[in-house]
Amino acid sequence: MDPLSKPRETIDRLDREFVSLLAARLKAVREIVGHKQNNPDVRLRDEERERQLFEIWAREADTHGISPYFAGRVLREILTWSRRDQERVLDSRGSTDAGTRSVRVGYQGVPACYSDLTIGKVFASRPIARLERIGFRGFAAAVDALEAGEVDYALLPIENTIAGSINEVYDLIGTRHVTIVGEEVWPVEHCLLGLPGAKLEHVRTVRSHPVALQQCQKFLDGFVGVTAESFHDTAGAAEAVARGGDPTVAAIASEDAAREYGLVVLKREIADHAINITRFLLLGRQPEVFDVRRPAKTSLVFAVNHRRGALLECLKSFDAQGINLTKLESRPQVATPWEYAFYADIEGHVSDVRVQAALEEVRAHTNHMKVLGSYPRRVESERERAQIESMISAVTPAAEVEAPTCPAEPAAPAKKAAKNPNLKLCSLREDAKRTLVDVSGVVFGGERFVLAMGPCAVENRRQMMDAAELVKRGGASVLRGGAFKPRTSPYAFQGLGFAGLDLLVEAGRTYEMPVVTEVLHPEDVERVAESADMLQIGARNMQNFALLKEVGRSKRPVLLKRGMSATIEELLLAAEYIMAGGNHRVVLCERGIRTFETATRNTLDIAAVPVLKARTHLPVIVDPSHASGVRELVIPLAIAAAAIGADGVIIEAHPNPSEALCDKDQALTGDDLSKLVAQLKPILASQGRRL
Ligand code: PEP
Ligand code: MN
């Protein structure tokens, strides 16, 4: 008997139970929707309730020995789906044909192209009986069909996180008689597709849309002897490969396209950047009504008159009403050279009083203005994303510790240093406004205290994944890990280099944390910056000016550590080097200095935190691991850092410290991390801050 058949039977049975449990859960959700439907004052989303659910799941998962983080991700999917289901019920309220309506949607491309796949996603949560998708050759043809009443909607891509805005679509929405009724996002996952039986090494021609070819440039460059050929779309290229029957020809398209045209995936994840998302607009002929409690977005197009400051006045009108602008795009106006149409997306519905007041104001500064539509917002705002993330990771039990009171903003030190005129960019300005440094969604310098944690060095895949899971559970929002290690001895482990960086990035992606890693050589900066979210300049390199200039040219934020014999002034001058190069996202790190004292690895200059805060607007964090070199001192020093007003800490942790290849004596364990969080929480709460 096949040894796998029994466990597989069990899995099949459990999966069936699992699905029926999901259905029962959804039924309960619908009872809640019924209540919300009849009570317009009840909020659609109850964050407190969601937080409780994450806690319940995390606790249950833990008792069953499953990762609470993994459980949190499953719950997130379930909640997303429940919310969409709720929306479907709420949107169908009042419409007589809900559930019986047949809908035709136009798109550009052929079946299984990314637009077609997204149509499936959009209408999965809409109350319709039948969905017909009609592919057109171009964007304009789809809009023509919409205007002529041949289709009910058109779904067109408006922007991509790598390729940018799709100009033709902007021009269409600005000039045609259509209105935006929805938006949706689709994560693009390019694969190399070939005929069944084809071999990767035999491929000689790769076809796809030019943008897709460009997004997989590095993969194609490393693929010797292969020519790339442009095709009008990705799925169309897949279809042509299937029709052609030549096993040396492959296409870049989605896995769904492979299924649609009977191809196989020869290689996955071939895009240069892991994050590749396309945003689509759903266009209709008439505005549509939706529940006012849903977060909305409004798009508009306007042309400013040629007076100085006219555009600024328009933008100020949104700010004055507290309205967030999510996108601004300009397009030339064909009939009037050097005049531009501005397309703006703002948060809020056109019927909101604040939006109306802002638009009234904008009208006064424009020659022309048109609202292109108000529709439910799909792109989560940063705040919402961070909120969900914090629910998943902040499940450590609350501490039962007496809360001391410590101000987060410490009093300026009595002894004021003379102002150094060379600190032009990093000095605290008159208005004392602090800089927030955003590292792929994690903000340093704001009300959240950042925990950047991970192993000293990336050692192997297993260790890195375990370490990432450990620190995520321990409340980390940034993952650290050294791929290039500056070691005092040439015989010590030097790090895995770029292979280590790949492992770090994989772990960061799996546990959804941006990664920070040290870069040692100016010539490596560009390559490290392609995948790391933050570049670390180590203590030994704080005055490597060639390296500082190179990271100054980079677009990635920089974590600048204080040199072990550097003064605070020298640290600031090093930051100035980076900022003078154009990179203003610098976070400073006090990591201990060399003194006559040998009881600890270095001497933590804790006073450097308030001194720096009084002199610079940049965020300041502390590294208690390298400062002390002793596991038992890491938590007390981290607490001291929080108490004195640091913006975060960077801490080393390891799944198995005794076997760490680097800095084993200072690495924290999982138990240490829960103690750390339990002790940090009340201090931060007393300062009005949180993790
Ligand atoms: C590190 O953080 O990995 C490190 C080597 O720190 P430092 O440069 O502060 O010694
Ligand atoms: Mn270390």
Side-chain angles (χ1 to χ4, degrees):
M1 191 172 122
D2 180 359
L4 297 186
S5 64
K6 218 170 146 37
R8 281 193 172 146
E9 256 171 45
T10 313
I11 288 175
D12 291 351
R13 180 178 46 79
L14 289 173
D15 280 355
R16 275 194 299 273
E17 272 176 41
F18 194 41
V19 174
S20 75
L21 284 174
L22 280 177
R25 190 185 192 284
L26 205 56
K27 222 169 129 198
V29 167
R30 289 197 181 141
E31 279 174 35
I32 294 181
V33 191
H35 173 75
K36 288 182 180 169
Q37 206 169 12
N38 301 330
N39 296 280
D41 293 337
V42 177
R43 278 186 310 147
L44 282 191
R45 256 188 97 173
D46 183 343
E47 280 95 3
E48 195 38 52
R49 171 72 185 145
E50 286 182 17
R51 202 177 293 280
Q52 282 169 4
L53 287 175
F54 277 105
E55 266 179 32
I56 294 172
W57 274 63
R59 229 175 294 124
E60 281 298 310
D62 212 22
T63 55
H64 287 94
I66 317 175
S67 148
Y69 179 63
F70 167 68
R73 282 173 63 165
V74 175
L75 176 62
R76 182 169 62 183
E77 277 307 311
I78 295 176
L79 290 182
T80 304
W81 187 253
S82 303
R83 260 200 304 274
R84 286 207 167 205
D85 194 72
Q86 275 194 0
E87 288 161 4
R88 174 171 35 189
V89 175
L90 292 169
D91 286 348
S92 61
R93 181 173 50 167
S95 69
T96 47
D97 59 353
T100 58
R101 203 156 73 109
S102 163
V103 160
R104 294 159 304 168
V105 188
Y107 65 96
Q108 184 270 317
V110 295
C113 69
Y114 292 110
S115 298
D116 181 31
L117 300 174
T118 311
I119 290 175
K121 187 173 174 190
V122 171
F123 287 91
S125 58
R126 286 183 165 232
I128 55 164
R130 219 174 80 83
L131 177 65
E132 189 186 344
R133 306 145 188 233
I134 304 164
F136 291 89
R137 250 204 108 83
F139 298 133
V143 175
D144 287 342
L146 176 62
E147 283 185 316
E150 290 157 18
V151 292
D152 305 297
Y153 297 101
L155 186 93
L156 303 182
I158 188 74
E159 63 175 324
N160 172 271
T161 52
I162 302 176
S165 293
I166 299 163
N167 292 333
E168 191 189 339
V169 176
Y170 267 104
D171 295 343
L172 283 167
I173 56 173
T175 53
R176 298 298 200 91
H177 295 288
V178 292
T179 177
I180 306 172
V181 295
E183 71 169 353
E184 191 52 89
V185 286
W186 186 269
V188 174
E189 285 165 13
H190 290 313
C191 300
L192 187 72
L193 312 182
L195 288 169
K199 292 260 175 316
L200 185 60
E201 55 274 23
H202 297 153
V203 171
R204 289 291 160 267
T205 309
V206 174
R207 286 181 185 156
S208 197
H209 189 276
V211 171
L213 293 172
Q214 192 196 330
Q215 292 177 344
C216 303
Q217 195 57 53
K218 268 191 240 140
F219 165 73
L220 291 170
D221 286 348
F223 207 2
V224 191
V226 164
T227 33
E229 281 180 10
S230 285
F231 220 77
H232 55 82
D233 70 44
T234 55
E239 186 191 24
V241 168
R243 228 177 326 107
D246 179 349
T248 69
V249 184
I252 294 177
S254 65
E255 193 169 352
D256 300 77
R259 271 195 292 276
E260 176 82 22
Y261 299 108
L263 299 180
V264 293
V265 175
L266 300 177
K267 198 159 172 32
R268 275 172 226 285
E269 295 184 15
I270 56 171
D272 297 352
H273 297 274
I275 301 173
N276 183 355
I277 305 168
T278 301
R279 185 166 71 92
F280 291 84
L281 294 179
L282 183 68
L283 307 178
R285 283 185 296 273
Q286 298 293 331
E288 292 186 347
V289 187
F290 57 96
D291 195 287
V292 291
R293 290 167 291 184
R294 284 171 68 179
K297 205 165 170 180
T298 295
S299 296
L300 52 134
V301 56
F302 57 86
V304 291
N305 40 38
H306 256 307
R307 269 203 323 270
R308 204 184 71 209
L311 176 62
L312 178 65
E313 290 303 330
C314 291
L315 301 182
K316 279 201 317 214
S317 322
F318 297 121
D319 185 47
Q321 295 295 334
I323 293 171
N324 188 25
L325 189 70
T326 59
K327 173 104 207 259
L328 183 65
E329 180 68 44
S330 77
R331 292 289 306 143
Q333 295 191 288
V334 188
T336 47
W338 319 121
E339 286 193 11
Y340 301 87
F342 293 97
Y343 288 81
D345 290 346
I346 56 173
E347 285 179 7
H349 193 279
V350 72
S351 62
D352 296 350
V353 265
R354 287 195 306 184
V355 173
Q356 283 187 351
L359 293 186
E360 210 41 56
E361 180 78 38
V362 168
R363 216 166 263 125
H365 303 286
T366 53
N367 289 336
H368 165 90
M369 190 193 87
K370 182 178 154 199
V371 173
L372 300 171
S374 281
Y375 45 94
R377 179 154 56 84
R378 271 288 173 238
V379 181
E380 280 173 353
S381 74
E382 229 12 87
R383 194 182 58 78
E384 288 160 3
R385 203 185 64 76
Q387 204 174 38
I388 295 173
E389 264 312 295
S390 79
M391 285 186 203
I392 297 186
S393 51
V395 286
T396 339
E400 283 159 25
V401 180
E402 189 70 18
T405 340
C406 318
E409 192 69 28
K415 190 175 142 230
K416 276 237 158 89
K419 222 175 158 133
N420 182 340
N422 289 320
L423 297 174
K424 297 184 203 306
L425 302 169
C426 72
S427 285
L428 190 64
R429 291 172 291 256
E430 284 297 308
D431 63 7
K433 258 206 184 136
R434 302 215 168 265
T435 292
L436 302 178
V437 174
D438 185 323
V439 180
S440 306
V442 174
V443 178
F444 286 77
E447 64 166 29
R448 295 185 66 173
F449 185 80
V450 177
L451 284 182
M453 307 200 285
C456 179
V458 182
E459 298 167 11
N460 54 58
R461 189 162 184 278
R462 170 95 258 156
Q463 169 255 10
M464 197 54 236
M465 285 303 218
D466 287 354
E469 151 112 52
L470 180 90
V471 303
K472 182 84 192 186
R473 251 172 119 145
S477 51
V478 175
L479 180 64
R480 67 149 285 152
F484 301 91
K485 294 305 302 174
R487 302 303 298 276
T488 308
S489 159
Y491 308 116
F493 175 59
Q494 305 284 312
L496 300 178
F498 285 105
L501 177 61
D502 289 345
L503 296 177
L504 173 70
V505 170
E506 185 190 347
R509 215 179 285 155
T510 307
Y511 290 94
E512 300 184 315
M513 289 177 279
V515 302
V516 57
T517 199
E518 178 163 357
V519 54
L520 288 182
H521 303 289
E523 58 272 27
D524 288 347
V525 169
E526 205 179 316
R527 200 165 148 203
V528 173
E530 273 168 21
S531 46
D533 300 275
M534 188 179 211
L535 306 172
Q536 178 172 324
I537 300 296
R540 289 155 195 81
N541 269 318
M542 191 205 82
Q543 284 185 319
N544 179 340
F545 300 113
L547 186 60
L548 296 178
K549 283 182 189 167
E550 199 54 47
V551 296
R553 275 190 280 272
S554 165
K555 300 275 186 302
R556 293 290 187 189
V558 177
L559 177 61
L560 176 64
K561 299 188 99 180
R562 180 177 179 183
M564 53 187 96
S565 317
T567 62
I568 288 175
E569 177 111 345
E570 285 162 345
L571 170 62
L572 289 171
L573 282 162
E576 191 74 22
Y577 256 97
I578 300 170
M579 296 178 81
N583 189 350
H584 293 183
R585 286 194 291 173
V586 181
V587 174
L588 304 174
C589 178
E590 162 58 42
R591 47 79 71 202
I593 47 175
R594 249 310 138 87
T595 65
F596 56 83
E597 180 55 70
T598 54
T600 49
R601 182 173 172 176
N602 290 286
T603 301
L604 180 62
D605 181 8
I606 195 77
V609 177
V611 171
L612 281 166
K613 287 258 163 185
R615 297 192 58 187
T616 177
H617 53 85
L618 298 172
V620 180
I621 68 165
V622 166
D623 175 347
S625 303
H626 293 92
S628 66
V630 186
R631 178 171 309 114
E632 290 70 25
L633 291 178
V634 172
I635 296 179
L637 294 185
I639 300 300
I644 208 161
D647 296 299
V649 282
I650 180 163
I651 286 178
E652 290 186 347
H654 197 284
N656 196 353
S658 62
E659 282 174 19
L661 295 181
C662 189
D663 289 350
K664 56 158 79 137
D665 297 331
Q666 65 196 41
L668 297 194
T669 62
D671 285 348
D672 294 329
L673 298 186
S674 0
K675 280 186 213 139
L676 170 70
V677 170
Q679 293 187 37
L680 277 175
K681 276 185 176 172
I683 292 181
L684 296 171
S686 76
Q687 299 168 328
R689 299 198 291 169
R690 62 194 176 93
L691 277 178

